[in-house]
Amino acid sequence: MKPGNHINFLLRLLIDYVVLILTFLSTREYISGLGDVFFSGFNLLLLCISIIAWTVIGMSLHLYDEFRTRSFSYEFVAILKTVLLHACFFTFLFFYCFKYYPYPRTFTLLYTFLTFVSITVAKFIVKQSLLRLRSNGYNIKNILIVGTGDTGMKFYKTILSNDHFGYRCVGFVDEQTNPYLNGQYLGKISDLTRILESHEIDDVIVALPETLNTEMENIIITSEKEAKRVRIIADCHRFCTSTASMNFFGKFPLLTIRTSPLDDLAKQRFKRLFELCFTTVLFITVFSWLFPLIGILIKLSSPGPVLFKQERWGLKNKKITCYKFRSMTRNSDVVDASGRYLQATRNDSRITSVGRFLRKTNLDELPQFFNVLMGDMSLVGPRPHPIPLHQESKNTIQNYMLRHVVKPGITGWAQVNGCRGETRISGQMQKRVDFDLWYIENYSFWLDCQIIFQTLMNMIKGDKNAY
């Protein structure tokens, strides 16, 4: 860790320590009003334990990583994880070690709440202050770009258009110059040692194409001899997403250009366990009487079966049988004369009177909880499409097939953001797919809870795009 980075790390720790002390004192002030002594040697010990636990947990959960080029949302997630684990630690401490501590639940809840709010506000203020300072030329890191080709110039333009990142390009090194460098060409790769010695440089950014990888070893050895950190822009950078990650396969670094939290088997199992418990409770408490009631209404409204079965595409592009309450008249056409899928439209003559209500309130989707129990679907995920619509979209919509790296869902991020109903207008299906991909790349248990809650609210008030 460089001296400047070390100082920044210590300052961030110090700010957190001050916040922890103030929130601890505020919590003790409140509890002292309940009849407890405001402060004592034991409470001082508890504060020290809290600070040590916070430091260990925070460093383990990457709370003190460099967030210079990332939005505050990344830091916020790290704060939330640290606070929750810190609260669990205190719960364990009071339950097993300090059983006679007065008002342990009140202390833990209040201390956790105040810590979360205060740390979040403090770090947001620090983040904004640093952004302002960097925009004004302070707290800047100097970088040297090796490579004047397309990759190097695009990286340089990224620096120029994001001055709040706090990076300044000292110049370029390459075997040949570029007319757009505006005098920033410093020399050839063979001159690298001289250039590093004569300029104040923090990082060396290697932006060379694959054909020049023979120079890579020389660049790395020379830079590290001058105590400069080397960062390499992968030649496949244009294919990478914000969720790209790197792992080692033996000694080989493998770059995954698109990842999801659901790649983690533990998260898959937790999601599945939650869905099974949630679905079982619904079947026992609600569906046991609601399903027969809806079935009777469907039978009275029009002849035909209660359930409608349709083949759709699921996980890994495998066919599944999707169940719904029948909302259209029996034997309704699903494709036109040219084989194009007939989506439901407003005032569609195929929809029955009861079916219109079921579709408006999303009640027609409830039998898909059977799919959840069978493991074909999830509660939350990209909505599966009928085969004709799927075939139309997979060759025309960008990244459409990436929706199938996870199980389809009864509801999804696209649906609660208004992307449901017809997709005839240009761009509607692409927007839906973009929402689905965002969900896949940003999955969390709490996001699932939010989507389920929003879906419930939409069912109560009715969805204007559901018909």
Side-chain angles (χ1 to χ4, degrees):
M1 185 179 290
K2 290 191 173 184
N5 293 337
H6 186 66
I7 293 173
N8 288 337
F9 171 73
L10 291 178
L11 284 175
R12 292 166 68 188
L13 265 181
L14 181 61
I15 292 172
D16 286 0
Y17 290 166
V18 171
V19 172
L20 286 171
I21 292 171
L22 291 177
T23 54
F24 189 92
L25 293 176
S26 299
T27 305
R28 291 301 309 163
E29 170 67 26
Y30 176 80
I31 291 180
S32 66
L34 300 177
D36 186 37
V37 178
F38 175 71
F39 217 72
S40 64
F42 178 77
N43 287 317
L44 182 60
L45 172 64
L46 195 61
L47 175 59
C48 292
I49 293 174
S50 173
I51 290 175
I52 293 171
W54 178 270
T55 305
V56 173
I57 295 169
M59 293 180 68
S60 301
L61 296 178
H62 308 287
L63 178 61
Y64 298 100
D65 284 3
E66 177 60 71
F67 293 101
R68 178 185 287 254
T69 59
R70 294 188 175 189
S71 66
F72 184 70
S73 60
Y74 289 91
E75 196 166 3
F76 177 81
V77 172
I79 294 170
L80 181 60
K81 290 179 180 178
T82 304
V83 168
L84 290 176
L85 199 55
H86 188 255
C88 291
F89 172 77
F90 262 89
T91 301
F92 172 84
L93 204 64
F94 287 135
F95 191 79
Y96 288 100
C97 302
F98 303 144
K99 295 182 179 180
Y100 301 106
Y101 188 81
Y103 311 108
R105 294 178 183 175
T106 304
F107 177 87
T108 303
L109 290 173
L110 184 58
Y111 186 38
T112 298
F113 173 75
L114 291 177
T115 300
F116 174 67
V117 173
S118 302
I119 290 285
T120 302
V121 171
K123 289 192 178 295
F124 181 78
I125 292 174
V126 170
K127 177 85 171 179
Q128 295 302 312
S129 299
L130 289 175
L131 289 178
R132 186 176 295 274
L133 286 172
R134 290 168 191 154
S135 297
N136 292 329
Y138 297 97
N139 191 27
I140 296 295
K141 280 190 174 183
N142 295 321
I143 65 169
L144 175 72
I145 300 178
V146 180
T148 60
D150 185 60
T151 300
M153 295 308 296
K154 284 183 177 178
F155 185 78
Y156 177 57
K157 290 177 182 177
T158 301
I159 293 173
L160 293 181
S161 59
N162 294 278
D163 56 356
H164 57 280
F165 285 173
Y167 288 94
R168 178 192 295 118
C169 179
V170 173
F172 291 82
V173 172
D174 205 344
E175 292 305 300
Q176 56 187 5
T177 186
N178 186 310
Y180 300 103
L181 297 184
N182 298 322
Q184 288 187 290
Y185 179 71
L186 301 181
K188 297 183 178 181
I189 295 176
S190 58
D191 301 321
L192 188 57
T193 300
R194 173 186 60 79
I195 294 169
L196 293 174
E197 289 176 347
S198 58
H199 292 81
E200 184 66 32
I201 294 171
D202 294 296
D203 294 344
V204 176
I205 308 296
V206 182
L208 292 174
E210 187 73 23
T211 53
L212 293 179
N213 271 356
T214 53
E215 302 285 352
M216 192 71 72
E217 183 177 359
N218 179 43
I219 293 168
I220 293 173
I221 292 174
T222 303
S223 300
E224 290 184 344
K225 278 184 179 179
E226 300 299 326
K228 310 299 181 184
R229 181 188 287 110
V230 179
R231 301 177 187 269
I232 301 173
I233 300 177
D235 199 40
C236 58
H237 67 92
R238 60 188 181 278
F239 303 113
C240 293
T241 68
S242 60
T243 61
S245 65
M246 181 174 287
N247 303 97
F248 277 88
F249 188 85
K251 294 184 178 180
F252 293 92
L254 295 181
L255 181 66
T256 305
I257 64 173
R258 189 188 299 270
T259 61
S260 167
L262 285 172
D263 294 337
D264 185 349
L265 186 60
K267 287 187 172 64
Q268 292 179 27
R269 288 173 176 170
F270 180 79
K271 181 178 172 71
R272 177 65 178 154
L273 179 63
F274 167 73
E275 290 169 350
L276 285 174
C277 294
F278 187 84
T279 301
T280 301
V281 170
L282 282 179
F283 268 103
I284 295 172
T285 59
V286 180
F287 296 162
S288 57
W289 59 267
L290 183 59
F291 278 21
L293 177 61
I294 293 176
I296 292 171
L297 293 175
I298 292 173
K299 278 293 187 180
L300 292 175
S301 66
S302 64
V306 171
L307 293 180
F308 172 71
K309 296 189 294 183
Q310 188 178 56
E311 280 195 336
R312 300 193 176 190
W313 296 97
L315 177 65
K316 297 180 181 179
N317 203 31
K318 294 181 179 179
K319 288 183 180 180
I320 62 173
T321 300
C322 189
Y323 297 94
K324 297 179 68 174
F325 281 124
R326 182 174 58 84
S327 59
M328 293 186 176
T329 55
R330 185 168 53 181
N331 300 324
S332 294
D333 293 330
V334 293
V335 294
D336 59 18
S338 61
R340 189 177 179 84
Y341 180 67
L342 289 172
Q343 298 186 47
T345 59
R346 196 178 299 276
N347 301 319
D348 196 314
S349 60
R350 297 174 296 167
I351 301 176
T352 65
S353 56
V354 171
R356 186 161 284 106
F357 170 77
L358 294 177
R359 297 173 76 95
K360 188 71 176 178
T361 56
N362 294 318
L363 291 174
D364 62 319
E365 310 284 0
L366 293 184
Q368 287 163 41
F369 279 90
F370 286 116
N371 290 102
V372 174
L373 288 178
M374 292 185 294
D376 296 331
M377 293 178 63
S378 293
L379 289 178
V380 180
R383 285 289 298 150
H385 294 145
I387 290 179
L389 181 59
H390 173 87
Q391 299 288 12
E392 289 177 22
S393 302
K394 72 175 186 177
N395 295 320
T396 58
I397 305 300
Q398 186 178 11
N399 296 325
Y400 176 83
M401 292 302 293
L402 290 175
R403 302 166 73 251
H404 296 278
V405 298
V406 299
K407 288 182 183 180
I410 297 176
T411 185
W413 185 239
Q415 282 64 46
V416 298
N417 280 281
C419 293
R420 58 166 302 167
E422 288 184 275
T423 56
R424 292 302 184 195
I425 300 176
S426 176
Q428 284 183 324
M429 181 60 84
Q430 185 64 62
K431 185 178 179 181
R432 181 181 295 188
V433 170
D434 291 342
F435 273 119
D436 287 335
L437 295 183
W438 186 92
Y439 167 79
I440 292 171
E441 294 175 358
N442 295 274
Y443 160 81
S444 71
F445 170 71
W446 301 111
L447 179 59
D448 272 7
C449 292
Q450 176 187 338
I451 293 172
I452 292 171
F453 177 77
Q454 286 184 245
T455 301
L456 180 61
M457 291 298 100
N458 289 342
M459 290 177 67
I460 294 173
K461 67 181 181 181
D463 192 330
K464 65 178 181 179
N465 293 324
Y467 44 80

